[in-house]
Amino acid sequence: MKVAFTSDNIAGASDSVFKAMMEAAQGDAMPYGNDDGTAQVAHRLSELFECDVDVFLVSTGTAANVLSISALTPPWGSVLCHSESHLLNDECTAPEFYTSGARFVGIGGADAKMDPTQLKKLVNQKIGDVHSCQPSVISLSQVTEVGSVYSLEEIRAITDVAKSVNLPVHMDGARFANALLALDCTPAEMTWKAGVDIVSFGATKNGVMAAEAIVIFKSSLEAKGISSEKVAKELGYRRKRGGHLHSKMRLLSSQMIAYLTDDLWRSNAAHANAMMTLLQDGLRRVPGVKINTPAQANMLFCTLPAGMAEYLLKEGFAFYGGRWEEGVIRLVTSFRTPQAGVEAFIVSAQAFAELSLSGTIA
């Protein structure tokens, strides 16, 4: 295989992350998050987001998302998200399981971004009607499922609707760093300053082995009349009940500390984004290739001319296709995607296009 663009999950972990885990494994430490390293993670994330936060470490993005939301909605509530969101389509029934049956409602909008007008209509429908589930939380994905990124203005348009009815806002930040660099803003600007109340701060896709952080912005929740203390307390119990209160939490904490040290999280995301920019720019020049939604971070959906996908697969490249419309493939770059591999992919795509134009390939 020359290079794989199937997912950023295929890359391993950064060397410094493994080194930090090895160091943390030495000696003894208090279990269940009562160690110094876990306290250090909370301190670092408070500094990163420029505010007072509560932090809950878990080992998967699914857990980070569904535990966050479960602490914010009752079983009779509804979670409003985009119809193409990961929560709605790619979490099996974990969201319903963890929320004890809350309904997830898909909202339309171009480029997998919620339309604020549609959202506003839904948050005001059948309020207090005992026959209907009640809007309880809004969740947005940053980066979205098609590789687009909400601008700060677009985030505020969503959170303004939420604020008008005092609904909490969750951000699925599985590719948080990739989105942040695309927007060239601060973590605070993309979250609580824009009206987000809780974020799943993703790290596993960007160089960590298995560590994600649920970050609660206390003052943001309190401003909506929601007790951050109550949410944090409930999250603590839900994390335990959900099997994510790790006894050797220091091994998760050590990963996150390494991730946040020397801007590893930024440099890893910068490389992934740069490789996607190179890939997208190259594919734009290949005859017959259609860019469906321009990639703003490290994920791209495009439509290839008939036969090109099969040709590229035979050439030794890997990517996902066949799940969407005919000819549509998904390409994802990671912090370890080699530039030479990206360039080789573009050359191969160009070679197929030239052979096709010449009639060599029917």
Side-chain angles (χ1 to χ4, degrees):
M1 184 184 296
K2 290 185 177 179
V3 69
F5 298 101
T6 50
S7 172
D8 36 11
N9 283 321
I10 66 173
S14 295
D15 293 343
S16 60
V17 171
F18 277 114
K19 182 180 178 181
M21 289 180 68
M22 290 295 291
E23 292 175 352
Q26 306 306 309
D28 298 329
M30 292 297 290
Y32 302 111
N34 295 307
D35 58 284
D36 293 338
T38 300
Q40 186 180 343
V41 170
H43 177 70
R44 287 202 178 194
L45 286 172
S46 181
E47 289 184 332
L48 185 72
F49 285 101
E50 306 172 46
C51 67
D52 191 16
V53 299
D54 280 319
V55 176
F56 293 83
L57 291 175
V58 294
S59 54
T60 72
T62 297
N65 284 335
V66 298
L67 284 171
S68 296
I69 286 170
S70 70
L72 295 168
T73 184
W76 58 86
S78 62
V79 181
L80 308 178
C81 53
H82 194 274
S83 57
E84 295 182 60
S85 69
H86 199 82
L87 271 172
L88 196 58
N89 298 299
D90 297 285
E91 298 284 23
C92 193
T93 56
E96 291 82 358
F97 174 77
Y98 275 83
T99 60
S100 299
R103 179 171 295 173
F104 284 69
V105 178
I107 296 172
D111 299 331
K113 302 176 187 177
M114 278 184 286
D115 182 337
T117 302
Q118 293 185 39
L119 178 64
K120 188 172 184 179
K121 181 179 179 181
L122 282 173
V123 298
N124 287 294
Q125 280 186 346
K126 298 185 177 181
I127 302 302
D129 182 353
V130 73
H131 301 287
S132 304
C133 59
Q134 298 295 292
S136 300
V137 61
I138 296 168
S139 180
L140 58 91
S141 303
Q142 185 76 319
V143 177
T144 74
E145 283 302 291
V146 299
S148 59
V149 174
Y150 282 91
S151 67
L152 297 184
E153 292 73 21
E154 288 170 329
I155 295 174
R156 292 191 192 98
I158 298 298
T159 60
D160 282 348
V161 174
K163 186 177 180 180
S164 70
V165 288
N166 284 331
L167 286 186
V169 178
H170 164 259
M171 176 180 283
D172 174 357
R175 296 182 173 91
F176 186 93
N178 303 93
L180 191 78
L181 293 185
L183 295 181
D184 190 25
C185 64
T186 68
E189 289 170 337
M190 198 173 80
T191 53
W192 64 272
K193 286 187 177 181
V196 174
D197 303 298
I198 186 169
V199 63
S200 299
F201 182 73
T204 304
K205 295 180 186 295
N206 193 39
V208 162
M209 188 186 83
E212 312 274 312
I214 299 170
V215 182
I216 301 172
F217 305 112
K218 296 182 181 181
S219 60
S220 185
L221 279 175
E222 296 290 345
K224 290 178 178 175
I226 302 170
S227 169
S228 63
E229 182 179 356
K230 182 178 179 181
V231 170
K233 184 176 182 179
E234 184 159 338
L235 251 173
Y237 284 110
R238 286 182 176 274
R239 179 174 62 168
K240 173 62 179 178
R241 181 174 182 262
H244 278 269
L245 180 60
H246 291 262
S247 59
K248 297 183 181 180
M249 191 68 76
R250 58 176 164 156
L251 298 182
L252 269 69
S253 302
S254 63
Q255 296 176 60
M256 192 63 71
I257 291 170
Y259 186 62
L260 297 172
T261 298
D262 297 330
D263 276 344
L264 176 65
W265 67 292
R266 289 180 179 271
S267 58
N268 279 359
H271 177 80
N273 286 8
M275 291 302 97
M276 178 50 70
T277 297
L278 180 64
L279 180 59
Q280 180 171 236
D281 289 348
L283 290 176
R284 287 185 192 278
R285 299 191 295 270
V286 177
V289 174
K290 176 189 174 185
I291 304 298
N292 297 340
T293 301
Q296 294 177 264
N298 68 318
M299 181 164 56
L300 172 70
F301 281 82
C302 58
T303 303
L304 305 184
M308 182 179 283
E310 292 77 9
Y311 176 86
L312 291 169
L313 290 171
K314 288 179 181 178
E315 285 290 293
F317 299 100
F319 47 82
Y320 285 135
R323 297 183 177 184
W324 307 279
E325 296 178 19
E326 186 175 353
V328 174
I329 68 168
R330 188 187 80 165
L331 301 168
V332 186
T333 51
S334 77
F335 70 100
R336 280 192 174 157
T337 299
Q339 181 173 335
V342 173
E343 292 169 345
F345 186 86
I346 296 167
V347 168
S348 292
Q350 183 67 47
F352 175 88
E354 291 173 358
L355 290 170
S356 183
L357 288 172
S358 68
T360 305
I361 296 178

